[in-house]
């Protein structure tokens, strides 16, 4: 369903060429849950941005459901994202002037979700923020903002969820709840990609793709085996 062929992404910074991704080949099947594991700067966010058509590769091709998205123009990228991709950004990207509820409902309406009010409330309940729906982002803690970002991704009912360090700001207990929600989406047939730098969190999935300096260095089961979420410790 997601096919990356010889993907490269270079940034030209004055005289210096930054190779963020170099010759990435990857196939992800519909409904799979995959962890992208790697240290800071290894290219995880860059890779998610390419799969989610927020950016285009400088080399190689990306096909999603047989469509070559790496050739898309901006307007096509926008439509593709709206219909197919739910992002959970590393930096949340909430609208500062919209309440938690409005942040979620805005996305629901943009994606033409029916019963958007009810579904937005349900999504905020699911991430444990039923009591915070009128709060603006600046009135929420970092972890709460992250959970609004997650509710916003869930409400779209997209076939692909791209989650960039979704547990980064969360305490252990809330982090596990969020992983549960993501695994649940995978159980419903959604393709889920989770980015993390934490080897223990990677054990949530049976497939871990490791990135180092923009290259895939391994692809397979986690080092110490997959574990049920209630047995995870980090
Ligand atoms: N827009 C950009 N312009 C120039 N260089 C960039 C840009 N975005 C990323 N890079 C560089 O590409 C490399 C990969 O960055 P990326 O954000 O993908 O890493 P990451 O694995 O997500 O790291 P982290 O865990 O810190 O979020 C880094 O060296 C970064 O400095
Ligand atoms: Mg990143």
């Amino acid at each position: 369903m997601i096919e990356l062929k010889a993907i490269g992404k270079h940034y030209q910074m004055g005289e210096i060429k930054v190779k963020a991704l170099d010759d990435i080949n990857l196939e992800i099947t519909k409904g799979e849950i995959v962890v992208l594991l790697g240290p800071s700067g290894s290219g995880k966010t860059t890779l998610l941005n390419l799969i989610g058509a927020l950016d285009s590769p400088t080399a190689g091709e990306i096909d999603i459901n047989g469509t070559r998205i790496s050739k898309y123009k901006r307007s096509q990228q926008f439509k593709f994202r709206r219909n197919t991709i739910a992002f959970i950004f590393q930096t949340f990207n909430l609208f500062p002037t919209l309440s938690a509820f409005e942040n979620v409902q805005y996305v629901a309406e943009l994606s033409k979700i029916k019963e958007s009010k009810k579904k937005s409330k349900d999504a905020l309940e699911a991430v444990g923020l039923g009591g915070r729906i009128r709060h603006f982002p600046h009135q929420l803690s970092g972890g709460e903002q992250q959970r609004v970002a997650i509710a916003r991704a869930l409400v779209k009912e997209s076939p692909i969820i791209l989650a960039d360090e979704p547990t980064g700001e969360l305490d252990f207990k809330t982090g596990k709840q969020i992983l549960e929600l993501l695994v649940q989406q995978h159980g419903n047939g959604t393709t889920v990609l989770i980015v993390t730098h934490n080897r223990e969190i990677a054990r949530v999935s049976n497939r871990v793709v490791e990135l180092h300096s923009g290259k895939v260095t391994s692809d397979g089961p986690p080092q110490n085996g997959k574990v049920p979420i209630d047995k995870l410790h980090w």
Side-chain angles (χ1 to χ4, degrees):
M1 179 208 202
I2 302 175
E3 264 190 287
L4 306 175
K5 296 171 201 159
I7 287 300
K9 180 70 183 176
H10 301 163
Y11 297 105
Q12 196 68 43
M13 304 296 284
E15 310 233 305
I16 298 166
K17 196 170 173 184
V18 178
K19 265 193 184 177
L21 295 174
D22 188 17
D23 195 26
I24 303 277
N25 293 284
L26 204 57
E27 273 183 35
I28 294 167
T29 311
K30 188 174 187 305
E32 234 186 322
I33 183 164
V34 177
V35 170
L36 277 178
L37 175 71
S40 181
S42 57
K44 306 182 297 295
T45 298
T46 306
L47 191 58
L48 276 198
N49 289 348
L50 294 182
I51 294 172
L54 267 181
D55 207 348
S56 308
T58 38
E61 301 297 350
I62 303 175
D63 293 342
I64 295 188
N65 292 333
T67 305
R68 183 135 299 179
I69 68 149
S70 45
K71 289 271 189 291
Y72 272 172
K73 299 196 174 65
R74 281 202 162 240
S75 60
Q76 292 174 301
Q77 287 182 330
F78 169 75
K79 263 194 201 150
F80 166 78
R81 284 199 303 270
R82 189 187 58 193
N83 298 332
T84 313
I85 302 286
F87 266 108
I88 299 165
F89 291 101
Q90 194 167 12
T91 47
F92 320 144
N93 294 1
L94 300 179
F95 299 109
T97 57
L98 299 183
S99 69
F101 174 72
E102 289 161 346
N103 259 282
V104 178
Q105 202 204 3
Y106 178 77
V107 167
E109 289 195 347
L110 201 64
S111 299
K112 302 189 167 58
I113 296 293
K114 293 198 182 92
E115 298 182 79
S116 68
K117 272 192 179 172
K118 181 184 179 299
K119 289 205 170 147
S120 301
K121 276 194 189 137
D122 289 349
L124 283 160
E125 295 271 353
V127 297
L129 285 183
R132 293 283 186 282
I133 68 171
R134 285 179 209 288
H135 287 231
F136 288 93
H138 76 272
Q139 297 167 325
L140 295 168
S141 71
E144 288 168 344
Q145 290 178 43
Q146 186 155 32
R147 284 185 277 160
V148 176
I150 289 160
R152 205 168 54 168
L154 296 180
V155 84
K156 280 185 76 176
E157 300 172 348
S158 300
I160 301 175
I161 295 181
L162 304 176
D164 202 348
E165 298 276 3
T167 57
E169 288 281 323
L170 302 177
D171 61 87
F172 180 62
K173 189 167 152 256
T174 319
K176 291 217 294 197
Q177 282 167 4
I178 295 306
L179 289 176
E180 291 275 10
L181 281 170
L182 291 172
V183 169
Q184 240 175 52
Q185 299 304 305
H186 154 65
N188 297 338
T190 307
T191 308
V192 180
L193 260 76
I194 301 175
V195 160
T196 183
H197 60 270
N198 186 316
R199 201 166 281 286
E200 187 62 20
I201 292 176
R203 299 177 72 193
V204 71
S205 165
N206 209 16
R207 183 174 178 198
V208 179
V209 174
E210 253 189 89
L211 278 181
H212 281 274
S213 308
K215 283 183 179 288
V216 173
T217 53
S218 67
D219 183 349
Q223 256 175 17
N224 299 315
K226 184 183 167 182
V227 283
I229 291 173
D230 59 332
K231 299 257 161 28
L232 277 180
H233 268 283
W234 71 82

